Amino acid sequence: MNITYLGYNSFLEHKRGVENVIEFQSTAFEFKNRYYIHLGGNNSIYRHQNFICFSVKKTFLWPLYLNILLFKLKKKKLIKIHSHSPLLSFVYLAKTDILTVHDGMYYQAKTSNHKFLFLYSLVERVVYCKVRMVHFISEFTKSKSLYPVAWKNSIIIYNTSHFESRYADLLPINILGINNKALKVLCVRSIEARARFDLLLEVAPLIVDCGVQFIVAGKGPLLTKYRTQVVEKDIKNITFLGYVTDETLIDLYHECDLVLVLAEFGEGFGLPIIEGYLFNKPVIASNVCAIPEVIIDQSFLTNNTTQEIVHKLKSFKNLPRLKFREYYDQNFSSHLILDMFRTLYQSIT
């Protein structure tokens, strides 16, 4: 059996999230060929690891090109389609075999105050009618989707970390250059409004005297804004690193004392939470979205107020000393998630 994944970004660009998930899912089954299609700046073909990748140029004719490409692939080979893009599945004229839903289109649009909400609602509802099986990454994601309650062609499979097999046991190096006595708090997030870095900039000055150092890894539309505010407000204990490589991120996880995940909406799972557990680190996170579903214990949740976040960090040593790596192994380990995807792929052969 061959498989085609529909996604968002080129594998040749900096990637996080969906692209890593697709790479992992593709290892769950002995596919003869693996294809990957995404929208891009030009029409091109390239290879990435075991994938043959197609970039479809974003012009007004891209839906036509997408259908021609998929028709040619399906005509030559027995191909199943696993989509991570509702939009690509929407314009594809035939049925998609599996659709992975990270966050419902309408839910994301509504919480982001997008215009023309009815269009997002229409696309999402139509897509569910064109899919043989819908995979949700959490109960929360399913509950916030427009997927009909009475329908039975859905499954919930959690995410895992692609760091587990390749990097989890590498020894760290001292890349931070921070006093070992400081409490090192790592935030791995896309730098955007929903990640509530505005709160972090309020919290940091209040606990600088407590020896708390915040390290932020991630890129996003508000990176320059927050970097500028750190300088203007003379905040000494926050470092925005921007995009970092996987190897650097592994070292950051190894070296930190605590992982902090702040969110407001659109957090369908919370990958940095389980990555923290993979490296046996405690995680404090906002009590919103799918986070309570993933967190190890409710005492590690915080409301999105400056006062409560400060209190949680100051009383960090009083939180339960739990077996974070064991919790990861029992709930999110690669072999568990791979078994679930293997069964899913076998069901569509």
Side-chain angles (χ1 to χ4, degrees):
M1 182 172 69
N2 304 285
I3 192 160
T4 297
Y5 290 92
L6 306 181
Y8 293 97
N9 302 309
S10 168
F11 277 128
L12 302 180
E13 300 173 357
H14 293 164
K15 61 186 175 64
R16 282 285 186 265
V18 172
E19 293 76 39
N20 285 332
V21 170
I22 289 173
E23 283 186 357
F24 170 81
Q25 290 174 348
S26 72
T27 65
F29 195 85
E30 291 297 324
F31 296 112
K32 185 176 181 181
N33 291 291
R34 296 169 174 83
Y35 302 95
Y36 176 65
I37 302 175
H38 63 89
L39 299 181
N42 55 15
N43 291 318
S44 61
I45 303 175
Y46 62 93
R47 284 188 175 272
H48 172 76
Q49 296 182 10
N50 295 324
F51 287 89
I52 300 173
C53 307
F54 300 89
S55 172
V56 177
K57 187 176 182 179
K58 288 184 283 189
T59 68
F60 71 96
L61 289 175
W62 75 259
L64 175 62
Y65 295 147
L66 175 70
N67 277 280
I68 291 174
L69 175 57
L70 285 170
F71 174 77
K72 288 182 177 179
L73 287 174
K74 295 199 75 170
K75 185 177 181 181
K76 292 182 179 180
K77 305 174 184 294
L78 174 62
I79 286 184
K80 300 298 181 179
I81 298 176
H82 185 165
S83 175
H84 288 253
S85 171
L87 181 59
L88 267 58
S89 288
F90 177 76
V91 302
Y92 177 45
L93 296 178
K95 278 203 169 188
T96 296
D97 295 289
I98 301 173
L99 172 69
T100 289
V101 180
H102 298 268
D103 280 297
M105 288 187 70
Y106 179 75
Y107 164 73
Q108 282 279 44
K110 185 177 180 180
T111 51
S112 302
N113 296 316
H114 280 296
K115 296 180 180 179
F116 308 115
L117 285 177
F118 73 94
L119 289 178
Y120 289 91
S121 173
L122 174 65
V123 171
E124 184 174 351
R125 292 179 189 278
V126 170
V127 165
Y128 291 144
C129 297
K130 299 177 62 181
V131 175
R132 291 189 171 90
M133 178 61 69
V134 183
H135 159 228
F136 295 99
I137 63 171
S138 65
E139 293 280 1
F140 173 83
T141 296
K142 183 176 180 179
S143 71
K144 292 298 182 180
S145 74
L146 300 180
Y147 181 81
V149 176
W151 289 11
K152 302 299 182 183
N153 61 323
S154 72
I155 188 171
I156 295 171
I157 304 177
Y158 286 144
N159 286 328
T160 186
S161 173
H162 74 294
F163 291 147
E164 182 182 336
S165 59
R166 292 186 288 170
Y167 303 118
D169 296 323
L170 290 184
L171 293 176
I173 58 176
N174 186 12
I175 64 171
L176 297 178
I178 296 171
N179 189 324
N180 288 333
K181 294 182 180 179
L183 177 69
K184 296 182 284 292
V185 180
L186 177 62
C187 304
V188 183
R189 310 286 285 136
S190 175
I191 316 301
E192 51 188 294
R194 67 188 180 97
R196 295 309 307 268
F197 284 106
D198 58 315
L199 275 175
L200 192 65
L201 266 63
E202 294 176 7
V203 167
L206 300 178
I207 52 178
V208 64
D209 293 336
C210 300
V212 179
Q213 178 73 35
F214 296 96
I215 304 99
V216 181
K219 60 187 179 70
L222 299 182
L223 177 59
T224 300
K225 172 185 174 180
Y226 287 128
R227 278 177 167 171
T228 301
Q229 289 184 5
V230 166
V231 174
E232 291 176 347
K233 297 178 180 180
D234 194 28
I235 303 175
K236 303 293 187 182
N237 58 335
I238 297 184
T239 302
F240 280 89
L241 298 177
Y243 175 84
V244 299
T245 64
D246 280 354
E247 290 77 11
T248 299
L249 187 54
I250 290 157
D251 290 328
L252 292 171
Y253 274 120
H254 271 300
E255 291 189 10
C256 76
D257 300 298
L258 169 69
V259 176
L260 178 65
V261 179
L262 298 180
E264 187 69 32
F265 61 86
E267 198 62 57
F269 183 75
L271 189 59
I273 299 174
I274 68 166
E275 288 182 343
Y277 294 153
L278 172 64
F279 290 91
N280 204 33
K281 306 294 181 176
V283 181
I284 292 175
S286 297
N287 188 15
V288 298
C289 304
I291 292 174
E293 188 178 336
V294 177
I295 206 80
I296 189 171
D297 186 89
Q298 302 296 298
S299 60
F300 289 88
L301 294 173
T302 179
N303 292 323
N304 284 339
T305 66
T306 303
Q307 295 78 9
E308 183 161 346
I309 297 169
V310 167
H311 173 72
K312 283 285 185 183
L313 292 172
K314 283 185 174 181
S315 59
F316 160 66
K317 293 184 178 180
N318 297 326
L319 290 172
R321 297 180 180 272
L322 303 176
K323 298 178 180 179
F324 303 109
R325 177 57 191 264
E326 184 177 304
Y327 178 72
Y328 173 90
D329 290 338
Q330 293 176 350
N331 295 276
F332 311 105
S333 67
S334 294
H335 77 88
L336 290 176
I337 306 304
L338 278 174
D339 283 346
M340 294 180 188
F341 275 108
R342 188 173 298 110
T343 300
L344 176 60
Y345 287 137
Q346 289 172 342
S347 72
I348 63 169
T349 56

